[in-house]
């Protein structure tokens, strides 16, 4: 659901990956720090001599299914060749050296006499065609700039399909104005590329992008993204991009888990970049936006280049001092070593439940506070969090999750109460909440769960298994949370009104059977990821827009839809501008796409008409969206009163008073954080103008 930590997939991946790691095509050396050996690319600076690395420079042209527009990096080749990647310049007080060579000298300054030089490269352009499900284009109406968002795995695979094994060479591939998502899932976004050793060919490589004339929302420039991945490559040349969570058994350098950002308690990662995103510790955004970081500017070849400030090797080791600085080229970018992060249990153990849930006052109105409940424990040794103890501010409670039964045919789901809660206790709690006027539904699926219903013969198993859960516990309906890669549209499925993807068609039929079985009071809600609804505006296919057929096929019996505005990449709004998540503008723009409708894929054809406001809620994530952002976004959407710092202007100046309300993942986390969301947003919703 919210975290997108695909532990199940990761465990499967570990079983599939060979235990003998590819060695790569570039020389490496090792240094022992803190009792552990770390591998670096190139020539050991402490050893006299120079290692020259042959390079194959690959500018990539991207084409997009259904669009004539191309994103070509060929025009950027000259700038890249003149940049500090290949031309020696003075960086961080050093003598003129290339970026990678200077990085090694900054890491190991004592007695540094050896050098690593990237040879003037051979250039081999290629073209990669991006299917609808693997990427899309964004545009800014204000400056006419375009930006691509594509699947890094897909690009890497096609890159090495076209480029044969290159003994002894480093492949430096780059796109133009492109950001990447990982794990073949656009909600795991965004990164400037990847690096390491390709698992299919054994080639050492760097995949990045060059930025020129980009939309204003993109703050990094020219070779900064490419130098970010190059710097990480030198620091971790054995990295395998399949490992989104670096472990001690995985190839490459492993570090004690480090904290991302001064104010962030969570783990950035245990490799040289954050999990999934490969963001540097100097990056200022952690999730779902274009990577951003203050740059180091240097002039070379008559042009000002922006270089990435990267963490030096010993920054990660917290106390193992190799040099007096922690970052390169700007020695002040990181002023102190990494701090250890706390895992979830440690964080919970440091907190105390000092706040109380506010009672719900007044008769309320049509606006609802909707939340997912998992029943997790507050800390080590604590009692499980029962439904009866949920704050009275919550109006609709979605129990998470009924998930696919691995021991049954496809489509069959099962549900077990959270550990420590007996079935009879849960049934009693559900009955209690319903007697208080609350709605309690069962959510099906969840992040990391793969659901498929590819055969019509599997519909009865789906219906009977879900009906059994509903009847046993007294749930009032189902919430559909089948995330990517579940329900991805098949190639050629281009009409949301007449879907052909079996799993989608059969799910619609199954949900209609459930509604018929339980009657008109049976509730159905959908909680798509950003790629699965607003993503359909940019491109239609695969994961993008995959919930549009569900909305259309269930529109007459659908209770509400709440888009996860936190599991979502950058998107275009109806005003022709690009917006990133975790902002009032983003929530307003993405919600209006669902309310006003759009042409899927941005092309004339069947218009998706959107939904009435009384069937739409806005999805937020605790500890990602602040209560202040949630408050401002909901007030703007409901009343139309535009915040002073907002840029997106609603097409309905009066706002949408009939909007159902706000959804959160999760009720449990809200409780852990002292009810700072429910205590603020609940009363605000209750006092907001009702439908008029």
């Amino acid at each position: 659901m919210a975290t997108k930590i695909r532990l199940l997939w990761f465990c499967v991946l570990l079983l599939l990956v060979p235990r003998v790691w590819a060695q790569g095509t570039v020389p490496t050396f090792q240094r022992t720090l803190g009792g552990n050996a770390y591998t670096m690319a190139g020539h050991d600076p402490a050893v006299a001599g120079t290692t020259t690395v042959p390079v194959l420079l690959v500018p990539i042209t991207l084409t997009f299914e259904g669009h004539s527009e191309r994103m070509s990096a060929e025009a950027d080749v000259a700038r890249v060749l003149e940049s500090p990647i290949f031309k020696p310049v003075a960086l961080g007080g050093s003598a003129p050296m290339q970026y990678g060579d200077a990085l090694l000298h900054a890491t190991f300054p004592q007695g540094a006499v050896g050098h690593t030089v990237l040879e003037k490269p051979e250039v081999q352009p290629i073209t990669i065609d991006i299917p609808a499900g693997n990427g899309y284009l964004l545009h800014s109406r204000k400056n006419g700039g375009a930006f691509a968002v594509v699947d890094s795995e897909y690009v890497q695979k096609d890159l090495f399909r076209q480029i044969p094994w290159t003994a002894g060479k480093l492949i430096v591939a780059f796109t133009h104005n492109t950001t990447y998502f990982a794990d073949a899932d656009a909600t795991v976004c965004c990164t400037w590329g990847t690096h390491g050793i390709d698992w299919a060919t054994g080639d050492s490589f760097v995949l990045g992008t060059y930025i020129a004339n980009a939309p204003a929302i993109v703050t990094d420039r020219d070779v900064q993204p490419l130098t970010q991945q190059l710097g990480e490559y030198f620091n971790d040349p054995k990295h395998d991009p399949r490992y989104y969570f670096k472990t001690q058994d995985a190839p490459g350098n492993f570090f004690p888990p480090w904290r991302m950002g001064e104010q962030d308690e969570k783990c950035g990662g245990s490799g040289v970049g954050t999990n999934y995103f490969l963001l540097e510790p100097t990056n200022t955004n952690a999730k779902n936006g274009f990577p951003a970081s203050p740059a180091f500017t240097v002039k070379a070849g008559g042009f000002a280049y922006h270089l990435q400030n990267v963490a030096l090797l010993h920054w990660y080791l917290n106390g193992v001092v190799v040099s007096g600085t922690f970052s390169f080229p700007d020695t002040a970018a990181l002023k102190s070593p990494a701090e250890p992060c706390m895992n979830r249990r440690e964080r919970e153990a440091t907190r105390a439940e000092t706040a109380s849930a506010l009672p719900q006052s007044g008769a309320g109105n049509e606006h609802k506070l909707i939340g997912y409940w998992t029943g997790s424990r507050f800390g080590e040794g604590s009692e499980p969090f029962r439904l009866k103890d949920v704050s009275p501010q919550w109006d609709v409670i979605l129990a998470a999750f009924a998930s696919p039964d691995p021991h049954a045919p496809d489509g069959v789901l099962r549900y077990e109460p959270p550990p420590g809660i007996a079935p009879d206790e849960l049934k009693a709690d559900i009955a209690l909440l319903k007697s208080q006027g609350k709605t309690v539904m069962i959510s099906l699926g969840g992040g990391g769960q793969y659901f498929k219903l590819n055969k019509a013969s599997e519909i009865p198993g789906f219906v009977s298994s879900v009906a059994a859960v509903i009847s046993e516990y007294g749930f009032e309906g189902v919430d559909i949370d089948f995330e990517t890669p579940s329900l991805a549209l098949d190639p050629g499925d281009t009409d949301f009104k007449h879907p052909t993807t079996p799993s989608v068609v059969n799910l619609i039929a199954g949900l209609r059977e459930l509604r018929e079985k339980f009657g008109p009071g049976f509730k159905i809600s959908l909680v798509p990821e950003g790629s699965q609804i607003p993503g359909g505006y940019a491109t239609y296919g695969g994961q993008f827009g995959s919930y549009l057929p569900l909305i259309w096929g269930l529109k007459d019996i659908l209770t509400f839809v709440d888009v996860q505005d936190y599991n979502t990449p950058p998107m275009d709004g109806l005003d022709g501008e690009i917006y990133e998540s975790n902002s009032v503008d983003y929530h307003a723009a993405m919600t209006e796409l669902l309310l006003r409708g759009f042409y899927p894929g941005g092309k004339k054809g069947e218009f998706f008409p959107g939904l009435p406001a009384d069937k739409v809620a806005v999805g937020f994530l605790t500890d990602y969206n602040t209560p202040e952002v949630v408050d401002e976004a909901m007030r703007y959407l409901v009343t139309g009163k535009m915040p002073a710092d907002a840029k997106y202007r609603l097409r309905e100046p009066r706002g949408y008073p009939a909007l159902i309300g706000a959804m959160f993942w999760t009720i449990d986390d809200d409780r852990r954080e002292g009810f700072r969301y429910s205590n603020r947003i609940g009363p605000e919703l209750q006092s907001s103008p009702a439908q008029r």
Side-chain angles (χ1 to χ4, degrees), residues 486-489 504 531-533 540 542-550:
S486 300
L487 301 187
L489 299 172
V504 172
S531 60
Q532 295 172 320
I533 289 290
Y540 187 69
Q543 62 193 289
F544 297 103
S546 62
Y547 267 55
L548 296 183
L550 293 180

Side-chain angles (χ1 to χ4, degrees), residues 522-542:
F522 184 75
K523 297 175 173 58
I524 299 174
S525 63
L526 307 177
V527 57
E529 298 173 305
S531 60
Q532 295 172 320
I533 289 290
Y537 182 42
T539 186
Y540 187 69

Side-chain angles (χ1 to χ4, degrees), residues 104 106-107 116 143 172 175 197 256 324 338 395 425 477 519 564 568 577 596 606 608 669:
L104 293 177
T107 305
T116 300
N143 72 356
V172 178
T175 52
I197 299 176
D395 303 295
E425 290 177 320
Q564 300 176 36
T568 179
E577 293 303 320
R596 311 288 295 195
E606 287 288 352
F608 170 68
D669 286 333

Side-chain angles (χ1 to χ4, degrees), residues 574 588-596 648 650-652 656:
L574 289 171
M590 295 306 103
T591 303
E592 271 213 321
L593 278 170
L594 184 55
L595 291 166
R596 311 288 295 195
Y648 180 83
L650 290 175
R651 295 199 164 194
E652 175 49 75
Y656 302 91

